[in-house]
């Protein structure tokens, strides 16, 4: 099973313009990038899970509604929100969509399972920091879903052959034919492959005058759209099964 997920977060890139970029402009870029992702998914009739950063959900109401209306899962991505903030936004979003928010993804700030369970989350999908050296730091990890105190813990996936993780940087950097082979071979040995990318990777950094390290500019913008389109074409061509996170876990 392929679990295709997207982190909807604003880019923290600085601008070449000393005046910087406003929050309104950042949100517009995030919205346009997400709409591109939705369009590509719709063209291939594939459903995914969208982990939306908690601090911007209330500013992207129409986008959140569009994600849900197209049959995708809405989940949370927490950067640095308090438990009280998470609880409040969760209730508001559930009222808006008339659906339960089951999942949360954490990276830098990580709350304990007991705290997340108290907010009625049923699964957590934590991820690690990824940069140009990340693939060489960890070569082994548990890739099975486990349950603790009623909360399912979904680990990041890693190829048993190349030992590369299926994180945002690897998706952006690897040639697509190699990535496709990695997915296909992994599914022969693992129950699922969890793939995630970030919405800001679809940004045309040159267009907006944003400063970004060379390895993050590489294959960004339109090239990321092309890579996503190629991956989904491969998935459908090989008749590989896909699932939203909440459906696979439950």
């Amino acid at each position: 099973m392929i679990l295709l997920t997207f982190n909807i977060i604003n880019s923290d890139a600085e601008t070449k313009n000393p005046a910087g970029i406003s929050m309104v402009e950042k949100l517009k870029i995030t919205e346009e990038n997400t709409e591109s992702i939705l369009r590509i998914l719709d063209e291939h009739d594939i459903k995914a899970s969208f982990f939306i950063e908690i601090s911007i959900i209330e500013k992207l109401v129409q986008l959140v509604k569009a994600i849900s209306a197209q049959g995708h899962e809405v989940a949370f991505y927490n950067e640095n929100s308090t438990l009280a903030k998470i609880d409040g936004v969760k209730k508001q979003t559930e009222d808006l969509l008339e659906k339960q928010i089951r999942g949360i993804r954490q990276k830098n700030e990580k709350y304990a399972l007991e705290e997340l369970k108290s907010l009625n989350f049923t699964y957590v999908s934590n991820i690690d920091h990824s940069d140009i050296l990340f693939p060489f730091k960890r070569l082994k990890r548990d890739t099975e879903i486990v349950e603790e105190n009623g909360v399912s813990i979904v680990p990041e996936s890693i190829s048993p052959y190349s030992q590369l993780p299926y994180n945002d940087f690897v998706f952006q950097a690897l040639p697509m034919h190699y990535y496709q082979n990695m997915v296909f071979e992994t599914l022969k040995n693992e129950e699922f492959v969890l793939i995630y990318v970030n919405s800001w990777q679809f940004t045309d950094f040159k267009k907006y005058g944003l400063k970004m390290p060379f390895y993050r500019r590489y294959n960004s913008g339109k090239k990321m759209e092309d890579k996503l389109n190629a991956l989904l074409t491969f998935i459908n061509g090989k008749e590989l099964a896909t699932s939203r996170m909440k459906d696979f876990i439950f």
Side-chain angles (χ1 to χ4, degrees), residues 128-188:
D128 294 314
H129 180 70
S130 59
D131 56 27
I132 194 169
L133 297 176
F134 180 83
F136 306 102
K137 292 181 180 178
R138 298 177 63 188
L139 298 181
K140 293 183 179 180
R141 68 161 59 105
D142 187 359
T143 57
E144 293 185 1
I145 297 175
V146 297
E147 183 176 319
E148 292 185 17
N149 298 322
V151 179
S152 296
I153 305 171
V154 187
E156 288 190 61
S157 291
I158 185 170
S159 168
Y161 301 98
S162 67
Q163 293 297 303
L164 289 173
Y166 285 90
N167 62 30
D168 56 313
F169 176 72
V170 170
F171 182 87
Q172 186 172 343
L174 280 188
M176 183 46 60
H177 71 276
Y178 186 94
Y179 192 89
Q180 291 170 348
N181 289 336
M182 193 169 77
V183 170
F184 193 64
E185 292 300 321
T186 301
L187 287 174
K188 293 180 180 179

Side-chain angles (χ1 to χ4, degrees), residues 68-174:
S68 180
Q70 292 184 32
H72 305 292
E73 176 187 4
V74 172
F76 282 0
Y77 184 104
N78 180 43
E79 287 194 333
N80 51 23
S81 295
T82 64
L83 283 172
K85 177 66 173 179
I86 296 172
D87 187 35
V89 174
K90 186 173 186 290
K91 291 175 180 176
Q92 292 175 12
T93 307
E94 289 175 338
D95 289 342
L96 174 70
L97 302 178
E98 298 183 342
K99 296 178 181 178
Q100 181 183 356
I101 304 298
R102 297 180 179 274
I104 186 168
R105 175 165 284 167
Q106 307 176 109
K107 184 169 70 172
N108 297 323
E109 299 291 335
K110 296 179 180 179
Y111 288 109
L113 292 181
E114 294 77 9
E115 294 172 306
L116 297 177
K117 183 180 179 181
S118 71
L119 301 183
N120 294 317
F121 287 107
T122 54
Y123 77 86
V124 59
S125 173
N126 289 338
I127 58 176
D128 294 314
H129 180 70
S130 59
D131 56 27
I132 194 169
L133 297 176
F134 180 83
F136 306 102
K137 292 181 180 178
R138 298 177 63 188
L139 298 181
K140 293 183 179 180
R141 68 161 59 105
D142 187 359
T143 57
E144 293 185 1
I145 297 175
V146 297
E147 183 176 319
E148 292 185 17
N149 298 322
V151 179
S152 296
I153 305 171
V154 187
E156 288 190 61
S157 291
I158 185 170
S159 168
Y161 301 98
S162 67
Q163 293 297 303
L164 289 173
Y166 285 90
N167 62 30
D168 56 313
F169 176 72
V170 170
F171 182 87
Q172 186 172 343
L174 280 188

